[in-house]
């Protein structure tokens, strides 16, 4: 008999008692030292501490700035080798990779950035997934909506199976063998997508759509069964302008 996940795109769960209603909420934390948008991010967290780096991608121009978060405040650390914008990135506070803004690829070891082999297809605004500078994946991107996907093995990038839907401003996360790609845009000034695709290490498959179509959102993915997608916009700004219909929505998978 087919599983409900295969038919409807999600699993059902059973509980011995009624689940407790969620009471969590967002709260403000210390601001970064340099304002930016669409920067590369990598993170690691536990019950008692959290760390994150934010690299490149300022609000008004390219930047090489890198900042590290200790759970309380942001601190400037060593810059990227090249000033970038609209980056993809993944990994941890001591083992990360930043890619895009063309075909560049830089690895982070917790102290400094090192240049690596370039992407085969130059792009920005792509979905990123992976565990760090030895295993990563990028999917989609711009200029123009792309379906191309590449995986990183610590030395070089290799093209693999394409996304089912070409798009940019797509968000994602997970590992290089189990990832999600969510939302995205087709072209400036056109409506965004609600598509979600799941990667199993070999191919992509369509699963349940987002409740609200949007792109340029932020994603946090523990695995292909647990993810958050938040913020974003329903229509991108033409010619790099401010997006229309920016959102504060958060969705949980």
């Amino acid at each position: 008999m087919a599983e409900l996940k295969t038919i409807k795109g999600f699993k059902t769960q059973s509980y011995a008692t009624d689940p407790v209603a969620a009471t969590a909420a967002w709260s403000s934390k210390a601001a970064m030292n340099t304002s930016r948008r669409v920067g590369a991010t990598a993170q690691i967290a536990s019950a008692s501490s959290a760390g994150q780096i934010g690299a490149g991608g300022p609000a008004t121009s390219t930047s090489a700035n890198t900042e590290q978060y200790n759970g309380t405040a942001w601190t400037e650390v060593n810059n990227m080798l090249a000033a970038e914008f609209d980056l993809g990135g993944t990994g941890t506070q001591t083992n990360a990779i930043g890619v895009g803004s063309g075909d560049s690829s830089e690895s982070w070891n917790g102290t400094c950035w090192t240049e690596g082999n370039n992407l085969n297809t130059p792009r920005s605004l792509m979905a990123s997934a992976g565990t760090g500078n030895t295993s990563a994946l990028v999917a989609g991107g711009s200029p123009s909506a792309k379906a191309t996907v590449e995986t990183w093995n610590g030395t070089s990038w290799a093209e693999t199976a394409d996304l089912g839907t070409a798009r940019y401003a797509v968000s994602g996360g997970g590992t290089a063998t189990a990832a999600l790609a969510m939302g995205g845009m087709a072209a400036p000034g056109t409506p965004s997508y609600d598509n979600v695709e799941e990667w199993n290490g070999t191919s992509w498959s369509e699963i349940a759509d987002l409740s609200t179509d949007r792109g340029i959102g932020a994603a946090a993915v523990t695995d292909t069964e647990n993810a958050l997608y938040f913020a974003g916009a329903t229509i991108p700004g033409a010619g790099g302008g401010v997006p229309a219909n920016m959102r504060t929505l958060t969705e949980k998978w």
Side-chain angles (χ1 to χ4, degrees):
M1 180 181 292
E3 290 185 337
L4 184 61
K5 180 180 179 183
T6 304
I7 302 170
K8 295 293 186 181
F10 57 87
K11 287 184 175 180
T12 59
Q13 297 185 38
S14 60
Y15 300 90
T17 60
D18 289 339
V20 177
T23 57
W26 295 98
S27 60
S28 297
K29 295 295 182 181
M32 299 188 80
N33 296 288
T34 303
S35 61
R36 66 192 75 201
R37 65 182 183 191
V38 198
T41 58
Q43 58 189 351
I44 181 170
S46 67
S48 60
S49 64
Q52 179 168 319
I53 61 170
T60 57
S61 64
T62 60
S63 172
N65 289 11
T66 302
E67 299 186 31
Q68 185 168 289
Y69 188 65
N70 63 5
T72 302
W74 292 92
T75 304
E76 289 266 5
V77 291
N78 286 320
N79 286 351
M80 300 188 80
L81 301 175
E84 309 284 4
F85 68 98
D86 291 351
L87 288 168
T90 189
T92 71
Q93 195 176 36
T94 58
N95 175 3
I97 190 166
V99 292
S101 184
D103 59 3
S104 67
S105 174
E106 296 188 31
S107 296
W108 172 258
N109 64 7
T111 304
C112 60
W113 293 93
T114 303
E115 187 173 358
N117 286 321
N118 291 344
L119 288 164
N120 294 291
T121 302
R123 67 185 85 187
S124 59
L125 293 172
M126 78 290 283
S128 307
T131 54
N133 57 34
T134 59
S135 178
L137 172 147
V138 296
S142 67
S144 72
K146 298 185 183 303
T148 52
V149 178
E150 299 185 39
T151 56
W152 170 256
N153 62 8
T155 303
S156 60
W157 292 94
E159 290 206 15
T160 185
D162 287 354
L163 288 167
T165 301
R167 46 192 151 154
Y168 74 100
V170 56
S171 304
T175 71
T177 56
L180 296 176
M182 298 171 276
M185 309 286 190
T190 62
S192 51
Y193 291 119
D194 57 9
N195 302 49
V196 179
E197 297 186 42
E198 181 178 341
W199 171 249
N200 63 8
T202 304
S203 60
W204 294 91
S205 57
E206 287 269 359
I207 57 176
D209 292 344
L210 292 167
S211 300
T212 302
D213 63 292
R214 51 201 154 126
I216 327 177
V221 181
T222 303
D223 52 48
T224 55
E225 302 285 335
N226 298 278
L228 288 177
Y229 184 81
F230 46 101
T234 55
I235 300 176
V242 176
N245 301 322
M246 289 186 285
R247 300 291 187 179
T248 59
L249 298 174
T250 299
E251 297 188 41
K252 184 177 181 181
W253 170 253

